[in-house]
Amino acid sequence: MFAKSFNRGALGVSSSPRLIKRGKADITVRRTTGDVLVGRGTYGRQSWTGQTATVFGCSGFLGRYIVARLAREGTKVIVPYRGLTEYIRHLRPTGDLGMVIPMEFDLRNPEQIEECVRYSDVVINLIGRNYETKNFSFDQVHVEGAQRIANVSRESGVSRFIHMSNICARTDAQSQALVTKAFGEERVRESFPGANIVRSATMYGYEDELLNNIGKNKHFYLTVNNAQQKLRPVCVSDVAHAIDSIRDDESTVGQTFELYNPKEYTRKDVIDLVQFLIREKVWHVNIPTPLFRSFAKVADLMPFHYTSHHEIDMLLADEVPTGKPAIKTFADLGIQPHTLELTALQYIRHYRPSQHEEDPMEPKGYKAFRKPPVPVSNKDIVV
């Protein structure tokens, strides 16, 4: 690459051609299309890696972390949205001026989807719902929508397609949300043969629906099945890191990843951990599943979302990895996931009583959290 070096002298400005050497890290060659992408500038926010990524579902929990990570590295990010621009305005400062580009779209409109992926070499689909609305059913979101995005991306010459699913997605699952996610994976594979499928366990973070729900409803937290659901909670930043690594590594084309915590918990274990960290007892009430589902079906009729019987079904689904050798995990990407016990406090500290707000994580003389691996059981919980 040639550039001009300007030297200011007494008589004006003179210039001479100067050869700028590019390193191997500045060049990306896409295996599927053969496209050569050359970075510009120094690595980081004020540069461009030569890559453009479209992130569908960018306004969700995981989306903001992926957009922030891509933009911070110098990737140009297209952020499709529907509704109001206020839903995605918090994403624009994550990148340099002009590097995060909002575009309005409708999931049912192929022309608008094509506009969003026209100049992208990577498309990441994070769109998903835990409940149906009057505008979109599970089939329209998880199956038809995913297939439409994959089809348009392939026809537009997109090099990489990453589709987000769920570790509990099975065609024989009890929850219709998980069933449609499984069928969505199949449709994506058919439409975009080199697509990556990423199945994540329950994620936790600042805006999660696991730790924060327990802390927010600590005086009356509702559970089913005596809170015996098996969980593999994983930090949302780890999942964003994994997806970024998959995007950047051409050897991962067409692979399926399951991202989960190496340690298995029950929902009761997580409740006990939260009440230990916030220094206050969490009063959880177990409700018979048929009764809770009936109540949730009535709530489905409300004009605003409170809960859904589909979400109750998901509370009964155990997060069990498939364990197949062909399925990749964090270890295959060289990522060590965060430990729940050592990171959870930063997300729920604000639920502590005021007198314990500034207390450290460990009570005086309590050493259990300093032992690797961290053992946490009911007897370790101090209420």
Side-chain angles (χ1 to χ4, degrees), residues 141-178:
V141 175
H142 297 157
V143 183
E144 298 172 10
Q147 183 180 28
R148 190 174 297 115
I149 293 175
N151 274 329
V152 173
S153 298
R154 176 178 50 78
E155 294 169 358
S156 301
V158 172
S159 303
R160 299 293 302 275
F161 188 89
I162 302 174
H163 177 70
M164 191 69 184
S165 186
N166 190 293
I167 197 172
C168 298
R170 305 284 192 277
T171 55
D172 59 348
Q174 182 176 349
S175 170
Q176 191 63 22
L178 300 176

Side-chain angles (χ1 to χ4, degrees), residues 4 14 25 43 53 59 63 80 89 127 140 152 212 226 235 264 297 303 336 345 373 375:
K4 292 184 177 181
S14 62
Y43 180 85
S59 60
R89 65 182 179 181
I127 297 177
Q140 291 174 320
V152 173
N212 279 280
N226 293 312
C235 185
E264 183 180 278
K297 284 187 175 182
Q336 179 63 40
L345 180 60

Side-chain angles (χ1 to χ4, degrees), residues 130 132 138 173-177 222-225 286-301 307-317:
N130 292 342
E132 295 181 313
F138 284 137
Q174 182 176 349
S175 170
Q176 191 63 22
L222 302 179
T223 61
V224 294
N225 193 29
N286 186 73
I287 298 180
T289 303
L291 179 61
F292 207 169
R293 290 187 85 256
S294 299
F295 168 76
K297 284 187 175 182
V298 174
D300 282 334
L301 303 176
T307 186
S308 169
H309 69 282
H310 298 293
E311 294 178 311
I312 305 305
D313 292 338
M314 294 184 71
L315 292 176
L316 301 172

Side-chain angles (χ1 to χ4, degrees), residues 7-20:
N7 298 315
R8 300 183 183 274
L11 299 179
V13 179
S14 62
S15 63
S16 59
R18 178 167 58 93
L19 181 65
I20 298 178

Side-chain angles (χ1 to χ4, degrees), residues 22-28:
R22 309 302 303 185
K24 184 178 179 181
D26 297 324
I27 301 175
T28 302

